[in-house]
Amino acid sequence: MASLNKEELSNLSFVLKKPLEVAFEDRPKPSLASPHDVLVAVNYTGICGSDVHYWLHGAIGHFVVKDPMVLGHESAGTVVQVGDAVKTLAVGDQVALEPGYPCRRCAPCLAGKYNLCPEMAFAATPPYDGTLTGLWSSPADFCYKLPAAVSLQEGALIEPLAVAVHIVRQASVTPGQSVVVMGAGPVGLLCAAVAKAHGASTIVSVDIVQSKLDFAAGFAATHTYASQRIPAADNAKAIRELAGFPDGVDVVIDASGAEPSIQAAIHTVRMGGTYVQGGMGKPDITFPIMTMCLKEVTVKGSFRYGPGDYRLAVELVATGKVDVKKLVTSVVSFDQAEEAFKKVKEGEAIKVLIAGPNEKI
Ligand SMILES: NC(=O)c1ccc[n+]([C@@H]2O[C@H](COP(=O)([O-])OP(=O)(O)OC[C@H]3O[C@@H](n4cnc5c(N)ncnc54)[C@H](O)[C@@H]3O)[C@@H](O)[C@H]2O)c1
Ligand SMILES: OC[C@H](O)C(O)[C@@H](O)CO
């Protein structure tokens, strides 16, 4: 970053106007909304499947882009201004940005589940602008200082890693357990890595794309399985046998959102095991509810991240337990943002990072 002076930094932003129509806009520089806030110059932003979905379709479920919206929410940056009440950060600190701000006053917030806050203002979820911009204003306690061992590019991967941390915590993975992860996209790969860091000794990554499984095998999986076009119970039997647990595994995580994978998951988990839904696909599916009932499966959802998840994600990277660098397929300059979205849509990349408008690459 050439300068830490707010006045010298651009606030060029990558704006979705309508599906498949984007523009670069020089937006007004944000000011601090409270003395507890900091201003961050964004260095790198990863592209998430949800950004691509908004770009292609202009909506995810009931979240509809009605007004132009800045995309992006997986970012790390450098602090360029601190509010008077901020004691934990200083100008020049490098931080991972947690991109959703809860009200802090409602029942879920006060119960320690702020990710479920109905008033959540989440970056690049309409009507809120995202972080593919030059300058970002944030409450200081939603910025996580990166230790020297963690680069700004790794910092941009903390967001999807925090998603995986939350999923694995929902699954309560403990040392020695067997874990199957459906889906080997960024979230599934990171779930496998976090499960490993929690001590899981058998980790099976399942996908329908062989190249994703090849990558998973070199990342955190002990086994991989290419899901076949056969009944879900038959895929599940093959997964259980491959894992060495013919009666079922301790934990199954879905990070695909795909109906056949969710069905296979319930047939893969053991009696009394745990299933966590992380993937977001079709809102309604046919679900093997009788099998779930007869096995007394603990079934949980997982949404974004909550208290402690970002902090643990930074720690897992800083201590070398999760190597997020391996997921970065390429880094492009800000003016290449639209091309980067096209590349992610093609499906070959794992994670593409876009440098901020003030960042030279
Ligand atoms: N719960 C949350 O808070 C949260 C946060 C971020 C992303 N997500 C969701 O998590 C999922 C994964 O995210 P991602 O970025 O890794 O997406 P992705 O699209 O890169 O990965 C999904 C993977 O699932 C695979 N897949 C498709 N059908 C399958 C099947 N039948 N069996 C096994 N694998 C199959 C795909 O080939 C792909 O590799 C998405 O559904 C996303 O919307 C949820
Ligand atoms: O990682 C966070 C997710 O991508 C978001 O929740 C997304 O679904 C938009 O709201």
PDB file of all heavy atoms in Angstrom, residues 306-326:
ATOM      1  N   GLY A 306     -19.846 -16.801  14.626  1.00  0.00           N
ATOM      2  CA  GLY A 306     -20.240 -16.062  15.835  1.00  0.00           C
ATOM      3  C   GLY A 306     -19.038 -15.834  16.728  1.00  0.00           C
ATOM      4  O   GLY A 306     -17.884 -15.881  16.271  1.00  0.00           O
ATOM      5  N   PRO A 307     -19.302 -15.609  18.030  1.00  0.00           N
ATOM      6  CA  PRO A 307     -18.222 -15.263  18.949  1.00  0.00           C
ATOM      7  C   PRO A 307     -17.064 -16.265  18.903  1.00  0.00           C
ATOM      8  O   PRO A 307     -17.272 -17.467  19.021  1.00  0.00           O
ATOM      9  CB  PRO A 307     -18.914 -15.287  20.318  1.00  0.00           C
ATOM     10  CG  PRO A 307     -20.350 -15.022  20.021  1.00  0.00           C
ATOM     11  CD  PRO A 307     -20.618 -15.654  18.686  1.00  0.00           C
ATOM     12  N   GLY A 308     -15.871 -15.756  18.721  1.00  0.00           N
ATOM     13  CA  GLY A 308     -14.670 -16.601  18.788  1.00  0.00           C
ATOM     14  C   GLY A 308     -14.293 -17.282  17.484  1.00  0.00           C
ATOM     15  O   GLY A 308     -13.176 -17.813  17.362  1.00  0.00           O
ATOM     16  N   ASP A 309     -15.188 -17.294  16.502  1.00  0.00           N
ATOM     17  CA  ASP A 309     -14.873 -18.041  15.272  1.00  0.00           C
ATOM     18  C   ASP A 309     -13.756 -17.374  14.465  1.00  0.00           C
ATOM     19  O   ASP A 309     -12.840 -18.038  13.976  1.00  0.00           O
ATOM     20  CB  ASP A 309     -16.127 -18.220  14.412  1.00  0.00           C
ATOM     21  CG  ASP A 309     -17.156 -19.115  15.077  1.00  0.00           C
ATOM     22  OD1 ASP A 309     -16.752 -20.000  15.857  1.00  0.00           O
ATOM     23  OD2 ASP A 309     -18.369 -18.925  14.835  1.00  0.00           O
ATOM     24  N   TYR A 310     -13.842 -16.049  14.293  1.00  0.00           N
ATOM     25  CA  TYR A 310     -12.772 -15.357  13.554  1.00  0.00           C
ATOM     26  C   TYR A 310     -11.429 -15.505  14.290  1.00  0.00           C
ATOM     27  O   TYR A 310     -10.393 -15.725  13.686  1.00  0.00           O
ATOM     28  CB  TYR A 310     -13.114 -13.875  13.380  1.00  0.00           C
ATOM     29  CG  TYR A 310     -13.453 -13.505  11.944  1.00  0.00           C
ATOM     30  CD1 TYR A 310     -14.625 -13.970  11.355  1.00  0.00           C
ATOM     31  CD2 TYR A 310     -12.605 -12.709  11.177  1.00  0.00           C
ATOM     32  CE1 TYR A 310     -14.935 -13.642  10.046  1.00  0.00           C
ATOM     33  CE2 TYR A 310     -12.902 -12.380   9.870  1.00  0.00           C
ATOM     34  CZ  TYR A 310     -14.068 -12.850   9.307  1.00  0.00           C
ATOM     35  OH  TYR A 310     -14.369 -12.526   8.001  1.00  0.00           O
ATOM     36  N   ARG A 311     -11.499 -15.355  15.614  1.00  0.00           N
ATOM     37  CA  ARG A 311     -10.258 -15.417  16.400  1.00  0.00           C
ATOM     38  C   ARG A 311      -9.590 -16.784  16.220  1.00  0.00           C
ATOM     39  O   ARG A 311      -8.384 -16.877  16.002  1.00  0.00           O
ATOM     40  CB  ARG A 311     -10.585 -15.157  17.886  1.00  0.00           C
ATOM     41  CG  ARG A 311      -9.450 -14.576  18.659  1.00  0.00           C
ATOM     42  CD  ARG A 311      -9.911 -13.886  19.937  1.00  0.00           C
ATOM     43  NE  ARG A 311     -10.634 -12.651  19.719  1.00  0.00           N
ATOM     44  CZ  ARG A 311     -10.096 -11.503  19.293  1.00  0.00           C
ATOM     45  NH1 ARG A 311      -8.812 -11.435  19.035  1.00  0.00           N
ATOM     46  NH2 ARG A 311     -10.837 -10.428  19.129  1.00  0.00           N
ATOM     47  N   LEU A 312     -10.393 -17.855  16.276  1.00  0.00           N
ATOM     48  CA  LEU A 312      -9.818 -19.193  16.100  1.00  0.00           C
ATOM     49  C   LEU A 312      -9.294 -19.361  14.671  1.00  0.00           C
ATOM     50  O   LEU A 312      -8.237 -19.964  14.457  1.00  0.00           O
ATOM     51  CB  LEU A 312     -10.851 -20.280  16.434  1.00  0.00           C
ATOM     52  CG  LEU A 312     -10.355 -21.721  16.257  1.00  0.00           C
ATOM     53  CD1 LEU A 312      -9.082 -21.993  17.069  1.00  0.00           C
ATOM     54  CD2 LEU A 312     -11.444 -22.720  16.663  1.00  0.00           C
ATOM     55  N   ALA A 313     -10.027 -18.805  13.701  1.00  0.00           N
ATOM     56  CA  ALA A 313      -9.575 -18.923  12.309  1.00  0.00           C
ATOM     57  C   ALA A 313      -8.196 -18.282  12.138  1.00  0.00           C
ATOM     58  O   ALA A 313      -7.292 -18.862  11.528  1.00  0.00           O
ATOM     59  CB  ALA A 313     -10.597 -18.276  11.368  1.00  0.00           C
ATOM     60  N   VAL A 314      -7.995 -17.097  12.700  1.00  0.00           N
ATOM     61  CA  VAL A 314      -6.682 -16.429  12.615  1.00  0.00           C
ATOM     62  C   VAL A 314      -5.619 -17.311  13.288  1.00  0.00           C
ATOM     63  O   VAL A 314      -4.514 -17.509  12.766  1.00  0.00           O
ATOM     64  CB  VAL A 314      -6.726 -15.025  13.269  1.00  0.00           C
ATOM     65  CG1 VAL A 314      -5.329 -14.422  13.358  1.00  0.00           C
ATOM     66  CG2 VAL A 314      -7.655 -14.093  12.487  1.00  0.00           C
ATOM     67  N   GLU A 315      -5.974 -17.866  14.431  1.00  0.00           N
ATOM     68  CA  GLU A 315      -5.032 -18.710  15.190  1.00  0.00           C
ATOM     69  C   GLU A 315      -4.635 -19.960  14.394  1.00  0.00           C
ATOM     70  O   GLU A 315      -3.470 -20.360  14.381  1.00  0.00           O
ATOM     71  CB  GLU A 315      -5.722 -19.104  16.512  1.00  0.00           C
ATOM     72  CG  GLU A 315      -4.852 -19.771  17.529  1.00  0.00           C
ATOM     73  CD  GLU A 315      -3.763 -18.863  18.085  1.00  0.00           C
ATOM     74  OE1 GLU A 315      -3.820 -17.643  17.879  1.00  0.00           O
ATOM     75  OE2 GLU A 315      -2.818 -19.422  18.688  1.00  0.00           O
ATOM     76  N   LEU A 316      -5.607 -20.573  13.722  1.00  0.00           N
ATOM     77  CA  LEU A 316      -5.317 -21.793  12.946  1.00  0.00           C
ATOM     78  C   LEU A 316      -4.346 -21.500  11.807  1.00  0.00           C
ATOM     79  O   LEU A 316      -3.499 -22.325  11.477  1.00  0.00           O
ATOM     80  CB  LEU A 316      -6.616 -22.391  12.385  1.00  0.00           C
ATOM     81  CG  LEU A 316      -7.553 -23.019  13.424  1.00  0.00           C
ATOM     82  CD1 LEU A 316      -8.883 -23.424  12.777  1.00  0.00           C
ATOM     83  CD2 LEU A 316      -6.909 -24.231  14.091  1.00  0.00           C
ATOM     84  N   VAL A 317      -4.462 -20.303  11.228  1.00  0.00           N
ATOM     85  CA  VAL A 317      -3.537 -19.929  10.154  1.00  0.00           C
ATOM     86  C   VAL A 317      -2.172 -19.567  10.751  1.00  0.00           C
ATOM     87  O   VAL A 317      -1.125 -20.020  10.281  1.00  0.00           O
ATOM     88  CB  VAL A 317      -4.098 -18.768   9.311  1.00  0.00           C
ATOM     89  CG1 VAL A 317      -3.097 -18.323   8.253  1.00  0.00           C
ATOM     90  CG2 VAL A 317      -5.410 -19.186   8.644  1.00  0.00           C
ATOM     91  N   ALA A 318      -2.194 -18.773  11.830  1.00  0.00           N
ATOM     92  CA  ALA A 318      -0.931 -18.306  12.436  1.00  0.00           C
ATOM     93  C   ALA A 318      -0.087 -19.473  12.926  1.00  0.00           C
ATOM     94  O   ALA A 318       1.150 -19.418  12.870  1.00  0.00           O
ATOM     95  CB  ALA A 318      -1.230 -17.353  13.592  1.00  0.00           C
ATOM     96  N   THR A 319      -0.724 -20.540  13.399  1.00  0.00           N
ATOM     97  CA  THR A 319       0.032 -21.675  13.952  1.00  0.00           C
ATOM     98  C   THR A 319       0.317 -22.740  12.888  1.00  0.00           C
ATOM     99  O   THR A 319       0.819 -23.819  13.211  1.00  0.00           O
ATOM    100  CB  THR A 319      -0.757 -22.319  15.112  1.00  0.00           C
ATOM    101  OG1 THR A 319      -2.090 -22.608  14.648  1.00  0.00           O
ATOM    102  CG2 THR A 319      -0.826 -21.399  16.318  1.00  0.00           C
ATOM    103  N   GLY A 320      -0.051 -22.451  11.645  1.00  0.00           N
ATOM    104  CA  GLY A 320       0.258 -23.382  10.562  1.00  0.00           C
ATOM    105  C   GLY A 320      -0.648 -24.599  10.514  1.00  0.00           C
ATOM    106  O   GLY A 320      -0.391 -25.547   9.767  1.00  0.00           O
ATOM    107  N   LYS A 321      -1.738 -24.599  11.285  1.00  0.00           N
ATOM    108  CA  LYS A 321      -2.625 -25.780  11.295  1.00  0.00           C
ATOM    109  C   LYS A 321      -3.503 -25.837  10.050  1.00  0.00           C
ATOM    110  O   LYS A 321      -3.944 -26.902   9.629  1.00  0.00           O
ATOM    111  CB  LYS A 321      -3.476 -25.780  12.564  1.00  0.00           C
ATOM    112  CG  LYS A 321      -2.647 -25.984  13.825  1.00  0.00           C
ATOM    113  CD  LYS A 321      -3.490 -26.523  14.962  1.00  0.00           C
ATOM    114  CE  LYS A 321      -2.623 -27.010  16.109  1.00  0.00           C
ATOM    115  NZ  LYS A 321      -1.884 -25.939  16.781  1.00  0.00           N
ATOM    116  N   VAL A 322      -3.812 -24.660   9.485  1.00  0.00           N
ATOM    117  CA  VAL A 322      -4.574 -24.628   8.231  1.00  0.00           C
ATOM    118  C   VAL A 322      -3.801 -23.733   7.257  1.00  0.00           C
ATOM    119  O   VAL A 322      -3.576 -22.553   7.536  1.00  0.00           O
ATOM    120  CB  VAL A 322      -6.008 -24.088   8.446  1.00  0.00           C
ATOM    121  CG1 VAL A 322      -6.749 -24.035   7.121  1.00  0.00           C
ATOM    122  CG2 VAL A 322      -6.776 -24.961   9.442  1.00  0.00           C
ATOM    123  N   ASP A 323      -3.421 -24.316   6.127  1.00  0.00           N
ATOM    124  CA  ASP A 323      -2.630 -23.560   5.149  1.00  0.00           C
ATOM    125  C   ASP A 323      -3.566 -23.001   4.071  1.00  0.00           C
ATOM    126  O   ASP A 323      -3.769 -23.615   3.023  1.00  0.00           O
ATOM    127  CB  ASP A 323      -1.562 -24.464   4.524  1.00  0.00           C
ATOM    128  CG  ASP A 323      -0.623 -23.676   3.623  1.00  0.00           C
ATOM    129  OD1 ASP A 323      -0.842 -22.449   3.454  1.00  0.00           O
ATOM    130  OD2 ASP A 323       0.304 -24.270   3.076  1.00  0.00           O
ATOM    131  N   VAL A 324      -4.127 -21.824   4.354  1.00  0.00           N
ATOM    132  CA  VAL A 324      -5.092 -21.250   3.408  1.00  0.00           C
ATOM    133  C   VAL A 324      -4.439 -20.775   2.108  1.00  0.00           C
ATOM    134  O   VAL A 324      -5.125 -20.652   1.092  1.00  0.00           O
ATOM    135  CB  VAL A 324      -5.903 -20.082   4.050  1.00  0.00           C
ATOM    136  CG1 VAL A 324      -6.843 -20.585   5.117  1.00  0.00           C
ATOM    137  CG2 VAL A 324      -4.998 -19.003   4.596  1.00  0.00           C
ATOM    138  N   LYS A 325      -3.128 -20.548   2.146  1.00  0.00           N
ATOM    139  CA  LYS A 325      -2.423 -20.075   0.923  1.00  0.00           C
ATOM    140  C   LYS A 325      -2.650 -21.038  -0.242  1.00  0.00           C
ATOM    141  O   LYS A 325      -2.741 -20.634  -1.389  1.00  0.00           O
ATOM    142  CB  LYS A 325      -0.920 -19.992   1.173  1.00  0.00           C
ATOM    143  CG  LYS A 325      -0.440 -18.764   1.885  1.00  0.00           C
ATOM    144  CD  LYS A 325       1.075 -18.616   1.831  1.00  0.00           C
ATOM    145  CE  LYS A 325       1.872 -19.778   2.369  1.00  0.00           C
ATOM    146  NZ  LYS A 325       1.739 -20.083   3.787  1.00  0.00           N
ATOM    147  N   LYS A 326      -2.724 -22.327   0.096  1.00  0.00           N
ATOM    148  CA  LYS A 326      -2.871 -23.348  -0.958  1.00  0.00           C
ATOM    149  C   LYS A 326      -4.161 -23.164  -1.761  1.00  0.00           C
ATOM    150  O   LYS A 326      -4.270 -23.661  -2.872  1.00  0.00           O
ATOM    151  CB  LYS A 326      -2.877 -24.744  -0.326  1.00  0.00           C
ATOM    152  CG  LYS A 326      -1.535 -25.233   0.144  1.00  0.00           C
ATOM    153  CD  LYS A 326      -1.648 -26.696   0.549  1.00  0.00           C
ATOM    154  CE  LYS A 326      -0.317 -27.254   0.991  1.00  0.00           C
ATOM    155  NZ  LYS A 326      -0.486 -28.538   1.699  1.00  0.00           N
TER     156      LYS A 326
END
